[in-house]
Amino acid sequence: MTWMRSLRFVAILGLGLGLGAGLPLAAAGAAPVNDTGTTAWMLTSTTLVLLMVPGLAMFYGGLVRTKNVLGTMMHSFSAMAVVGVLWTVVGYALSFGPNALGGLVGWSRDLVLLRGIDHTILPAGVPEYAFAMFQGKFAIITPALIAGAVAERISFRGWVAFITLWVLLVYCPLCHWVWASDGYFFNLGAKGAIDFAGGTVVHISSGVAGLALALFLGARHGYPKTAMAPNNLTFTLIGAGLLWVGWFGFNAGSSIASNLETARALTVTQVAAAAGALTWVLIEIIREDKLTSLGMASGILAGLVVITPAAGVVQVGGAIALGAIASCTCYGMIMLKNRLGYDDSLDAFGIHGTGGIVGALGLTFFIRGSWWAEAAAKHPGWGLLSQLKVQAFAVATTIVFSVVMTLLIAWLVEKVVGFRVAEGVEKTGLDHEIHGERAYGLNNLN
């Protein structure tokens, strides 16, 4: 592909990313001009999404036992390092290059090491570098979410090998299907499968991958009979707060604009998170006669996850409903986990997988009227049932693809470098045995 062909492709990409509406476009025949306001917002959004990764590290780090705090936090920080390099080398090319291998992935040699975008301004008015870096943060946080399902029992080298393969073989294909202009899900039905900021690409894929990996590796030694209480819920609350703040970049930044669509996405993100938190603590008060800080943090996350795919199409009422529904559903899934006895350590599937599924399907019932009018103009007679079928197909395909590929990758990693740590290492703790450090300098570890 020549440089000019690459430029034409990214022009198409800017017109049809499917991440938001109302992109500022260049006049016909004119070269795109940098919009400093939109560029500033995209750079800010990129920074906010990166902030979510240390926020996730604190959220997860506070939930594990004292002996595994650093090891757990390193799973998130290692994703920043490993995927941060991998994305710029080939990840962006696999995700946003033109269809290759029959549309299974994208590919363009010009996008390797981002060589072909050195002078490119997208029709949205932002340098393609800004868009590539924004998308790269999604690629970083998605595998980091998986770690919550298998915390306290995986080796660091096995984890690094796993996320390297998982990003290349699972994340990049899904990203291409949903968000590239020639992606399969992007072109389903009247206006594609709706995934504004990552319900399928990020949360469902990581949530079901975490569940599959937890079942593959087995439960922690002593689970569920041994007490495994969180070591620092203060960390967890601070992490939840950082995630909430960062999520404004995650969702509102996905408009790839600085306009009405951006404001809509930011507003419903705030409302859904608040509704999720309120609903979760109300459930706890009704069931247990007391509310917990962990419940508050869990409700925040449930609301944020459920609104992620829906932020571009629902209004405030829909955001409140989705936040409340997600908290009820995620709470129920965690109760079911406790009954079934599988060890999704930090409820990666219970929150992210479940909330993502509820959001991707549930948004169909709350889509604003203007979206339906545009869909009907493209596809006469297009209605709720038609879109629900598209959403269900995208969700089901994402689940099957992520689970199958995760199990294959986990088997390969286990055979080649080893994945689960030995029983003695697990009992002593990841911090001391793998990293030679202690989070708090204490000897009385739990």
Side-chain angles (χ1 to χ4, degrees):
M1 180 183 234
T2 65
W3 185 86
M4 288 303 295
R5 286 179 63 199
S6 179
L7 182 59
R8 284 196 297 272
F9 170 71
V10 297
I12 295 171
L13 180 67
L15 286 168
L17 277 169
L19 301 180
L23 302 182
L25 303 179
V33 178
N34 185 62
D35 183 318
T36 56
T38 302
T39 299
W41 168 241
M42 291 310 302
L43 295 175
T44 302
S45 296
T46 300
T47 305
L48 286 171
V49 180
L50 183 62
L51 179 67
M52 294 172 68
V53 185
L56 180 69
M58 291 192 72
F59 186 90
Y60 280 170
L63 291 174
V64 297
R65 291 168 287 179
T66 306
K67 62 187 178 182
N68 295 316
V69 175
L70 295 177
T72 299
M73 296 182 76
M74 281 292 286
H75 294 150
S76 294
F77 278 87
S78 63
M80 285 199 284
V82 174
V83 184
V85 173
L86 194 63
W87 179 256
T88 57
V89 176
V90 295
Y92 186 68
L94 289 168
S95 299
F96 290 99
N99 274 345
L101 300 178
L104 180 62
V105 292
W107 184 249
S108 168
R109 289 196 303 172
D110 285 344
L111 297 180
V112 173
L113 292 169
L114 307 183
R115 289 176 306 209
I117 68 172
D118 203 43
H119 301 282
T120 306
I121 305 295
L122 295 175
V126 300
E128 192 173 358
Y129 273 128
F131 175 75
M133 288 297 94
F134 177 71
Q135 283 293 332
K137 304 308 177 282
F138 285 64
I140 288 170
I141 200 169
T142 304
L145 293 172
I146 299 172
V150 289
E152 303 194 294
R153 59 193 186 274
I154 55 174
S155 70
F156 187 74
R157 65 180 181 181
W159 172 247
V160 169
F162 174 81
I163 63 173
T164 299
L165 294 173
W166 196 88
V167 167
L168 293 175
L169 301 177
V170 180
Y171 182 85
C172 289
L174 283 172
C175 183
H176 182 75
W177 300 350
V178 174
W179 288 332
S181 60
D182 54 354
Y184 184 61
F185 291 162
F186 182 88
N187 292 292
L188 282 178
K191 294 188 68 179
I194 301 170
D195 188 356
F196 190 78
T200 52
V201 180
V202 177
H203 296 293
I204 296 176
S205 69
S206 62
V208 299
L211 177 60
L213 202 55
L215 295 175
F216 176 83
L217 293 174
R220 290 166 288 179
H221 289 289
Y223 180 88
K225 295 181 180 179
T226 302
M228 299 180 181
N231 81 94
N232 193 330
L233 286 174
T234 304
F235 266 26
T236 298
L237 276 176
I238 294 172
L242 290 173
L243 286 167
W244 193 337
V245 171
W247 226 288
F248 292 127
F250 200 80
N251 284 358
S254 291
S255 65
I256 319 297
S258 183
N259 58 16
L260 175 62
E261 187 74 11
T262 312
R264 287 171 173 171
L266 187 146
T267 300
V268 296
T269 299
Q270 167 65 26
V271 170
L278 182 61
T279 302
W280 199 293
V281 298
L282 287 175
I283 293 171
E284 288 188 326
I285 290 171
I286 293 169
R287 285 179 53 87
E288 308 294 339
D289 198 28
K290 64 178 65 175
L291 60 91
T292 66
S293 60
L294 180 56
M296 174 69 76
S298 300
I300 291 169
L301 263 291
L304 290 169
V305 169
V306 78
I307 200 62
T308 296
V313 296
V314 304
Q315 295 175 295
V316 169
I320 293 173
L322 287 173
I325 294 168
S327 274
C328 294
T329 309
C330 293
Y331 186 95
M333 182 55 67
I334 293 171
M335 294 301 101
L336 180 60
K337 178 201 78 169
N338 294 334
R339 285 197 171 193
L340 296 177
Y342 65 87
D343 190 11
D344 176 4
S345 307
L346 310 181
D347 296 312
F349 176 73
I351 299 291
H352 295 280
T354 304
I357 292 169
V358 170
L361 297 177
L363 65 83
T364 314
F365 300 93
F366 302 102
I367 297 174
R368 62 168 47 89
S370 59
W371 189 96
W372 289 119
E374 292 170 6
K378 291 185 176 182
H379 197 299
W382 193 260
L384 189 151
L385 184 59
S386 303
Q387 187 63 36
L388 184 60
K389 289 179 180 178
V390 169
Q391 297 299 118
F393 179 78
V395 168
T397 304
T398 299
I399 291 172
V400 173
F401 180 70
S402 183
V403 167
V404 171
M405 293 302 296
T406 296
L407 292 174
L408 289 174
I409 294 167
W411 176 84
L412 181 63
V413 170
E414 181 67 40
K415 292 295 182 182
V416 176
V417 300
F419 209 161
R420 179 160 184 161
V421 297
E423 183 176 353
V425 173
E426 186 177 331
K427 287 181 177 179
T428 304
L430 304 182
D431 293 2
H432 180 265
E433 290 291 327
I434 295 179
H435 303 290
E437 300 171 304
R438 299 190 192 279
Y440 307 114
L442 302 177
N443 290 321
N444 56 331
L445 304 178
N446 59 20

